[in-house]
Amino acid sequence: MNLRQLAEKLNLSQTTVSRALNGYPEVNETTRKRVLDAAARYHYRPNYRARGLATGRAMSIGHVIPASNQPQMVNMIFADFIAGAGEVYARHGYDMVISMVRDEDELRAYRGVAEKGAVDGILVHSPTCDDPRIALLSQLEIPFLVHGRSSRVRSDYSWLDVNNARAFERATRHLIGLGHRRIALVNGQEQLDFALRRRAGYLKALRDSAIAPDSILMRTDEMSEPYGHVTASELLDLPDPPTAFLASSVVPALGIRRAIEERGLVMGRDVSIICFDDRISYLPNGLEAPIFTAMRSSIRAAGRRCAELLIDRIARPDSTTVTELWEAEFVQGQSTGPAPG
């Protein structure tokens, strides 16, 4: 069945049916539901190639990955985000275009895909605090959305982010409330905006409790299990070791736990851990009960929502920018307890 036949069965115009299927906001919900139900009943499958020719769209969304970030292609967090976005792209008939480029060619790659019309929109990953991609994409006048924020960029742009500062402030306060004073921060790479916000939340909680920050307890690197293990091993061997760790992901938290257990200590009794839990599909924080006390926000859900917001911007290019700030959920696990002694 083609679009014309579906429209005839519904006694609606082809334009109305097309807009209902593609999520245009001007179609009321009653009509949209009627169209979607009929499409399912008659097994209607849109011809995306024809739709692209008719609308002048490429029916593709771009993701540009520089060489220095290529390890994230096998990173579980990035993979889950892409999986969530991909679910939405497929539902709306969009292809995902991932371009791997040298670092020095990254801005040129954004300009190239925009000027060639190779994609209809771009999803920007891992923003820095003063990210030049935002100004460039605004000049190119291509729909784009940033997963995260760029602290020093004052221009108007669309983004979705987690309130990282508040999440880490809350996590640090929880540990302070348990009596911990030597709290280590095992952070992500601090050229990235999210990690700077997390450090800011951690420091604010310490200052508010009149605890002097100790630079030796603050580490930053790519969020891997070996990074968590090496860092925790070094810190636990100090003359005055931390009694608690705040980790930027469940992945380094696993390495921290390994270092704790290698020393014959018990997580949650001798040393506490709170981590940020992205609710990774292939690395759940426990099954029936959480292993780690955590600040939780699903990265897969973020991928879905970013894709939805970007597709809406593509459909309505003259709409105002949209921003969403998600609050992380506190989850009590088995990894925290009162400070020893």
Side-chain angles (χ1 to χ4, degrees), residues 32-203:
R32 190 190 317 281
K33 185 177 186 307
R34 184 178 163 219
V35 171
L36 292 173
D37 288 347
R41 186 165 63 252
Y42 296 119
H43 306 290
Y44 169 74
R45 294 292 180 270
N47 184 329
Y48 292 117
R49 184 170 180 271
R51 192 176 95 187
L53 292 170
T55 61
R57 294 180 186 164
M59 300 309 298
S60 298
I61 291 175
H63 299 251
V64 177
I65 310 298
S68 60
N69 284 352
Q70 285 182 19
Q72 75 175 302
M73 293 296 292
V74 293
N75 180 299
M76 288 179 288
I77 297 173
F78 179 76
D80 237 25
F81 179 90
I82 287 293
E87 293 170 14
V88 177
Y89 295 162
R91 192 163 66 243
H92 290 269
Y94 280 88
D95 292 325
M96 182 188 304
V97 177
I98 297 180
S99 302
M100 313 291 288
V101 301
R102 297 182 304 173
D103 284 41
E104 59 268 30
D105 294 334
E106 184 179 5
L107 294 181
R108 192 178 302 118
Y110 280 107
R111 186 179 296 278
V113 295
E115 292 179 347
K116 291 174 186 175
V119 298
D120 300 307
I122 292 175
L123 214 161
V124 179
H125 299 273
S126 305
T128 59
C129 64
D130 190 8
D131 203 303
R133 296 174 294 177
I134 294 170
L136 173 65
L137 291 169
S138 298
Q139 292 169 6
L140 293 172
E141 298 184 341
I142 183 171
F144 72 96
L145 185 128
V146 181
H147 178 219
R149 284 175 288 171
S150 187
S151 302
R152 296 177 191 164
V153 173
R154 300 302 177 213
S155 59
D156 202 19
Y157 62 96
S158 294
W159 52 263
L160 180 145
D161 198 11
V162 174
N163 195 336
N164 288 292
R166 186 174 297 168
F168 271 54
E169 179 185 353
R170 185 178 178 188
T172 307
R173 287 186 189 280
H174 183 76
L175 291 169
I176 293 170
L178 290 170
H180 296 277
R181 295 298 179 268
R182 297 282 289 168
I183 302 170
L185 174 66
V186 183
N187 204 6
Q189 295 171 310
E190 290 184 359
Q191 72 269 29
L192 301 178
D193 195 87
F194 83 89
L196 288 174
R197 292 179 187 273
R198 291 179 179 183
R199 177 190 278 258
Y202 161 81
L203 291 174

Side-chain angles (χ1 to χ4, degrees), residues 168 184-190 194-195 198-199 216-235 245-259:
F168 271 54
L185 174 66
V186 183
N187 204 6
Q189 295 171 310
E190 290 184 359
F194 83 89
R198 291 179 179 183
R199 177 190 278 258
I216 201 169
L217 297 181
M218 291 178 271
R219 303 296 176 92
T220 169
D221 207 336
E222 186 176 338
M223 298 183 295
S224 67
E225 194 275 350
Y227 160 54
H229 177 256
V230 169
T231 299
S233 296
E234 292 174 357
L235 296 180
F245 287 84
L246 183 55
S248 233
S249 164
V250 69
V251 181
L254 292 170
I256 296 169
R257 179 184 183 181
R258 179 157 65 98

Side-chain angles (χ1 to χ4, degrees), residues 318-335:
D318 296 328
S319 60
T320 57
T321 55
V322 60
T323 62
E324 287 192 9
L325 184 61
W326 291 7
E327 296 295 337
E329 171 194 6
F330 177 82
V331 176
Q332 180 67 57
Q334 305 163 40
S335 64

